[in-house]
Amino acid sequence: MARTAHSGALVQHPDHPKAMVSIRDVSIAAGVSIATVSRAIGNPDRVSKATREKVLTVVEALGYSPNLVARSLRSQQSKLIIVLVTNIANPVLSGCIRGIEKVAQGLGYSVLLGDTQNDDVIEARYLNLLSARQADGVIQLSYRQHGKVDELILNSNPDAAVVNACACLDAAPCPSVGVDDVGAARAMTEHLLGLGHKRIAVMTGPDESPHSRDRMFGYRLQLRAAGIAFDDALVIRGEFTMKSGSEAAAKILDLKDRPTALFCFNDEMAIGAIQKLTSLGLRVPQDISVAGFDDIPFSAYANPALTTIYQPAEEMGAVAMRLLDQKLSGETEIRTVTLPTELRVRQTTAPPGTP
Amino acid sequence: MARTAHSGALVQHPDHPKAMVSIRDVSIAAGVSIATVSRAIGNPDRVSKATREKVLTVVEALGYSPNLVARSLRSQQSKLIIVLVTNIANPVLSGCIRGIEKVAQGLGYSVLLGDTQNDDVIEARYLNLLSARQADGVIQLSYRQHGKVDELILNSNPDAAVVNACACLDAAPCPSVGVDDVGAARAMTEHLLGLGHKRIAVMTGPDESPHSRDRMFGYRLQLRAAGIAFDDALVIRGEFTMKSGSEAAAKILDLKDRPTALFCFNDEMAIGAIQKLTSLGLRVPQDISVAGFDDIPFSAYANPALTTIYQPAEEMGAVAMRLLDQKLSGETEIRTVTLPTELRVRQTTAPPGTP
DNA sequence: TGCAAATATGAAAACGTTTACCAGTCGGGA
DNA sequence: TCCCGACTGGTAAACGTTTTCATATTTGCA
C-alpha cells in the first residue's frame, strides 16, 4: 500500500546520478506548458480531464515531485512549524510533540524540533527561522518564561503565529492550551486530606515555573478550604527531575513533626523522592504517602505504583497544532483551551498510620 | 547576552504591520547594489571594510534577516535534516535526538522531526521531503527494517544522504552508528552466569528487530561459552514496552523448572516484568533476578534499581549527525561507528537462592 | 447561425537570494 | 608614462515554482 512517489527507477541510468526532475522537464515530456503542469497538480479542476491525465502520467513516469523550496518562495509559506521545547526527554513534552505531529501530518505541515535546553541564544536562533521565512509558526512548549516569544510577537513580527501549550496559560498573549493546574492540585490535596492527612508537605519546582505557582496555589486553596493553616516549613523546593526529587526528599526527615504525606509537583520528582525515602527506611505509603503530577507512562509501573494526576499530553499537542493552524488560516480570535485532568489513585497514598 | 537579530522595533510603525524587509530594501537604504549586500553578509572579504560596515549597520537598523527559503532555492541546500523515529517517547531515541540537535546546532542545521509511528506511508511522506529538496539528509533512528530508506538510496536519489543510528548496523548501506549488541548481551549473560544462574530466561522483542536478533545471539554465544545448552522454552517473546513486559512475565510462572533469572532485552520490558512478577508474589532479586538493556534514566530510580546495560544514546545521536554532515560535505567513505556500552549492576540481580 | 460566456492553455512576472561575469579604479613596476 | 593585476562593486541570470493576464477554443443558447 505504501507507495512513494518514486517509481522513476525505470527511466534512469544506473551509473549516472539522475538530475532532479523539474516541472519544466515534465512540461516538455507532456507537451504542455509549465503553467499547465502546475495546475494539473495543484488545481486539477482548472485543467481538462485529458490534459490532467496526460500530465499526471508523465509525473508518475519521471518520478517528479515539486520542489517545495521553490513553492515556499513563491507562495510565501513553508508548511513548516517550529516546536520549541526545553527538554525532549520529558515524557509530558514528548507526548505533546507526538500529538502535534499527528495533527500536523493531517494538515500538511512538518515539524521542526527546537530543543532549546533552556538557552536564550538557542531559542532566539530558532525563532529567527520565523523571520527568515523558513517556518510559518511556533508552538512553545517550554515551561520557562517565554521572553523571546513575547518580544517576537510584540516587536518584530506581528504576523508571527505563536501558540502556547502546557504552560503559562494566563500570561500568554497568544492562543493557548493547557490544564487547570490549580484545580488539579486542589483535587490531589483533597484526596490526601480525605485520607486523613493533616500535615502535607509539597515539593515544588522552580519558582518561575507557572506550574509551580499554580499547583502551589491549588494546594493552599484546598488547605484553606479544609481549615488547615499553610506552613511554609512544609514546602520543599527543587527542580522537576528525579535527581532533584531524590536530593530534596532527604529534607523531609529533618522536619520536626514529620509530615505524613508528600505532594510532588511532578512524577519525576515523586519517583526520585520515593527512592530516597525508601532507602532511608521509610515505607511508602505506610510511613508516608507520596503523590505526583503528570501521570507519565512509567508511573503506573513504578513500585509501588504512583498516585498522580493524569494530563492529556498528546491531546494538548493536538489541540495546540489545531490552534496554530487556525491562526495561520487567518483566525484572529485568541482562544484558550483547558483540557481536563484526572486524579489517578494508585498505591503510594494511604491513610496515615497504615500498618 | 541573548540578542536576537531583531532590534528593528525602533523604526517601525507600531500600528502598521511591518512588511518583511528584503535584501533590496537594505541595498536601497545603504545605497549599494543587492549583490554587495549579499556579499557583505556572506563573503565579508569580498567587499571593502567601509562598505561592509555601512551595510551591516543598515542590516541591523532594519532588522533584516535573509530569507532562507530564497537562499535554499538558489544554493540548493536547505540546511534542514530529517530525523526519522518510530516513537519519540522512547527514552533512548529521545536521548539520541537530543544529541543530534546539539551537534546540528553547531553545524548550522535545523532538525525536522519525523515521528513515523512505524507507518510506511508516513515514512514515505517524510522521505519525500528529500526529493522535494526541503531537506538535505536523513538520520534514521528506527528500530524497524528501513525498507523505504533502502529503496530511496538505491533507486530514487543517489545523492540522498542517509545515516543510520541505533539500529541495523550491518545491513545498512550507509554510514551507521550503534553499539555492539552482541557483546553487550554477552556481558550481561556472563554477569548472570557469574552470579551462579543456570537457567536464564530471556524476553525478546519483535523478531524483525536487529536488537532482538543480536542480543539473542550474544546470549546464546555466552551460554555456549559456559557450556550451557540453549533452551527455547526459556525464550519469551513480546514487544519493547512496559505493557508487553508485564503481560509476558506471567508466562514465567508457567514454566516447569522455573528460571532463576530473566534477561529482558530492554528496560521498559524489564520494568513491566518486575511489576508483574512482584504482584504475583515473587521477590526481585531474591526469587528471581531481572536484568534490562538501555539504562534509561528511570532505571536507576526504579525500586529495586535495575541492573542493565548502558547505551550512550546522546552520543550516538551526536556521532550520527557528524557522519551525516560529512556525507553532505562530499565524504564518500561509508563509515560505521560502534560506541562502547557499560554493564551497570544494581539491585535486581543477585545469586540464586538469596534469602 | 451567430454571439456571449465559459473553459483551457500559454507567456511571463514574481518570490528573494547567490554568483558569474564584467567594468571601473587604483597602485605599482617597467 | 603606460600597462597590468588586484580590488570593488554593479548587472543580470538562475534557482523552480505559482499565478495573473491574455488568448484561443469550446459550449450554450436564442
Side-chain angles (χ1 to χ4, degrees):
Chain A
M1 263 318 299
R3 266 184 92 20
T4 72
H6 302 281
S7 48
L10 294 170
V11 295
Q12 81 194 56
H13 299 264
D15 52 350
H16 195 69
K18 179 182 60 171
M20 211 50 175
V21 15
S22 80
I23 197 173
R24 148 154 275 122
D25 302 320
V26 176
S27 78
I28 294 173
V32 297
S33 77
I34 288 180
T36 301
V37 176
S38 176
R39 280 188 282 248
I41 292 171
N43 288 73
D45 1 331
R46 315 270 320 154
V47 88
S48 76
K49 184 154 176 277
T51 320
R52 187 190 330 144
E53 283 169 358
K54 181 173 54 180
V55 170
L56 292 182
T57 305
V58 174
V59 163
E60 187 74 9
L62 297 185
Y64 167 71
S65 59
N67 182 317
L68 294 181
V69 173
R71 177 180 288 176
S72 289
L73 178 60
R74 168 64 214 213
S75 62
Q76 301 287 57
Q77 54 168 337
S78 61
K79 283 297 188 176
L80 253 36
I81 62 114
I82 300 174
V83 174
L84 245 32
V85 66
T86 47
N87 177 8
I88 195 193
N90 179 311
V92 176
L93 299 183
S94 64
C96 233
I97 293 175
R98 170 160 266 222
I100 291 172
E101 272 245 21
K102 281 189 183 171
V103 174
Q105 288 277 335
L107 296 171
Y109 294 95
S110 302
V111 352
L112 217 39
L113 180 68
D115 188 336
T116 62
Q117 296 160 63
N118 230 323
D119 180 326
D120 278 349
V121 178
I122 298 181
E123 179 167 334
R125 186 149 49 205
Y126 273 105
L127 290 179
N128 193 48
L129 294 182
L130 263 198
S131 346
R133 293 296 190 214
Q134 196 166 52
D136 296 339
V138 173
I139 295 177
Q140 168 76 273
L141 288 187
S142 304
Y143 285 120
R144 61 201 296 268
Q145 299 305 79
H146 46 135
K148 286 301 163 198
V149 173
D150 274 353
E151 185 183 318
L152 181 80
I153 298 171
L154 300 175
N155 291 337
S156 283
N157 195 343
D159 316 315
V162 180
V163 167
N164 202 284
C166 312
C168 311
L169 273 193
D170 47 341
C174 57
S176 308
V177 53
V179 300
D180 176 11
D181 275 316
V182 178
R186 289 190 68 158
M188 181 59 84
T189 309
E190 183 185 22
H191 164 65
L192 292 170
L193 289 168
L195 287 172
H197 295 280
K198 304 292 184 201
R199 281 181 67 72
I200 303 174
V202 292
M203 190 179 287
T204 179
D207 283 339
E208 319 83 68
S209 161
H211 297 306
S212 294
R213 196 189 58 218
D214 292 350
R215 290 168 194 179
M216 179 66 82
F217 188 60
Y219 161 78
R220 297 183 65 160
L221 228 45
Q222 197 61 23
L223 234 42
R224 177 178 324 171
I228 295 183
F230 169 75
D231 179 356
D232 194 60
L234 293 179
V235 176
I236 304 174
R237 283 162 226 285
E239 305 196 349
F240 286 128
T241 64
M242 291 186 285
K243 182 155 183 287
S244 171
S246 175
E247 289 164 3
K251 296 181 192 159
I252 292 274
L253 292 188
D254 300 338
L255 295 175
K256 62 169 191 287
D257 194 4
R258 201 171 71 209
T260 58
L262 170 63
F263 177 14
C264 300
F265 287 176
N266 88 345
D267 283 0
E268 274 109 322
M269 278 181 148
I271 287 161
I274 290 172
Q275 183 248 16
K276 173 67 80 171
L277 293 171
T278 303
S279 79
L280 291 175
L282 268 66
R283 295 167 304 156
V284 176
Q286 295 89 337
D287 299 324
I288 185 168
S289 287
V290 178
F293 200 115
D294 285 351
D295 196 21
I296 63 179
F298 195 83
S299 297
Y301 290 90
N303 178 23
L306 185 65
T307 293
T308 188
I309 298 279
Y310 168 75
Q311 284 202 71
E314 192 164 326
E315 198 185 340
M316 277 196 280
V319 171
M321 185 62 231
R322 284 194 208 100
L323 288 175
L324 182 57
D325 181 54
Q326 285 166 14
K327 180 140 183 181
L328 286 172
S329 306
E331 171 77 56
T332 56
E333 183 195 358
I334 293 183
R335 281 204 288 165
T336 295
V337 177
T338 301
L339 263 26
T341 56
E342 193 182 298
L343 172 65
R344 298 205 165 155
V345 177
R346 292 200 269 248
Q347 303 165 347
T348 55
T349 52
T354 301
Chain B
M1 260 329 298
R3 268 183 90 20
T4 72
H6 301 280
S7 47
L10 295 169
V11 295
Q12 83 193 57
H13 299 264
D15 52 351
H16 196 67
K18 179 182 59 170
M20 212 40 152
V21 13
S22 80
I23 198 175
R24 147 153 277 120
D25 301 321
V26 176
S27 78
I28 294 173
V32 297
S33 78
I34 288 180
T36 301
V37 176
S38 176
R39 280 189 281 248
I41 292 171
N43 286 72
D45 1 330
R46 316 265 317 154
V47 303
S48 73
K49 183 151 175 280
T51 321
R52 187 190 330 143
E53 283 169 359
K54 182 172 55 179
V55 170
L56 292 182
T57 305
V58 175
V59 164
E60 188 74 9
L62 296 184
Y64 166 71
S65 58
N67 182 316
L68 294 181
V69 174
R71 177 179 290 176
S72 289
L73 179 59
R74 168 64 214 213
S75 61
Q76 301 286 54
Q77 57 167 335
S78 62
K79 283 299 189 174
L80 253 37
I81 62 114
I82 301 175
V83 174
L84 244 34
V85 67
T86 47
N87 177 8
I88 193 192
N90 179 310
V92 177
L93 298 184
S94 64
C96 234
I97 294 176
R98 169 160 269 222
I100 291 172
E101 272 245 21
K102 282 189 183 171
V103 175
Q105 288 277 335
L107 296 172
Y109 294 95
S110 301
V111 351
L112 217 39
L113 181 68
D115 188 337
T116 63
Q117 296 159 64
N118 230 322
D119 180 324
D120 277 349
V121 179
I122 298 182
E123 179 168 334
R125 187 148 50 204
Y126 274 104
L127 290 179
N128 193 47
L129 294 182
L130 263 197
S131 346
R133 293 295 191 212
Q134 196 166 50
D136 297 338
V138 174
I139 295 177
Q140 169 75 274
L141 289 188
S142 303
Y143 286 119
R144 61 200 296 267
Q145 300 304 79
H146 46 135
K148 286 302 163 199
V149 173
D150 274 354
E151 186 182 320
L152 181 82
I153 298 171
L154 300 174
N155 292 337
S156 284
N157 196 344
D159 317 314
V162 181
V163 168
N164 202 282
C166 312
C168 310
L169 274 193
D170 47 340
C174 57
S176 308
V177 54
V179 299
D180 175 11
D181 275 316
V182 177
R186 287 189 71 158
M188 180 59 84
T189 308
E190 181 184 25
H191 163 66
L192 293 170
L193 289 168
L195 287 173
H197 295 279
K198 304 290 183 199
R199 282 182 67 73
I200 304 173
V202 293
M203 190 179 286
T204 179
D207 283 339
E208 318 85 68
S209 161
H211 297 305
S212 294
R213 195 190 58 219
D214 292 350
R215 291 169 194 177
M216 179 67 82
F217 188 61
Y219 160 77
R220 295 183 66 159
L221 229 44
Q222 197 62 22
L223 234 43
R224 174 177 327 169
I228 296 184
F230 170 74
D231 181 356
D232 194 61
L234 293 179
V235 175
I236 305 173
R237 283 160 224 286
E239 305 197 348
F240 286 127
T241 64
M242 292 186 284
K243 182 157 183 287
S244 172
S246 175
E247 290 163 3
K251 296 179 192 160
I252 292 275
L253 292 188
D254 300 338
L255 295 175
K256 63 170 189 283
D257 192 5
R258 203 171 68 212
T260 58
L262 171 63
F263 177 15
C264 300
F265 286 175
N266 88 346
D267 283 0
E268 274 108 322
M269 279 181 147
I271 287 162
I274 290 173
Q275 183 246 16
K276 173 68 76 169
L277 293 172
T278 304
S279 80
L280 290 175
L282 268 66
R283 294 168 305 156
V284 175
Q286 295 89 337
D287 298 325
I288 184 169
S289 286
V290 178
F293 200 115
D294 284 352
D295 195 22
I296 64 178
F298 195 81
S299 296
Y301 290 90
N303 179 24
L306 185 65
T307 293
T308 188
I309 298 280
Y310 168 75
Q311 285 201 71
E314 192 165 325
E315 199 186 340
M316 277 195 281
V319 171
M321 185 61 230
R322 286 195 208 99
L323 287 175
L324 182 56
D325 181 55
Q326 284 164 16
K327 180 141 184 180
L328 286 172
S329 305
E331 172 74 57
T332 56
E333 184 195 358
I334 293 183
R335 281 205 288 165
T336 295
V337 177
T338 301
L339 264 26
T341 57
E342 194 182 299
L343 171 64
R344 297 205 166 155
V345 178
R346 293 199 270 247
Q347 303 166 346
T348 55
T349 50
T354 300

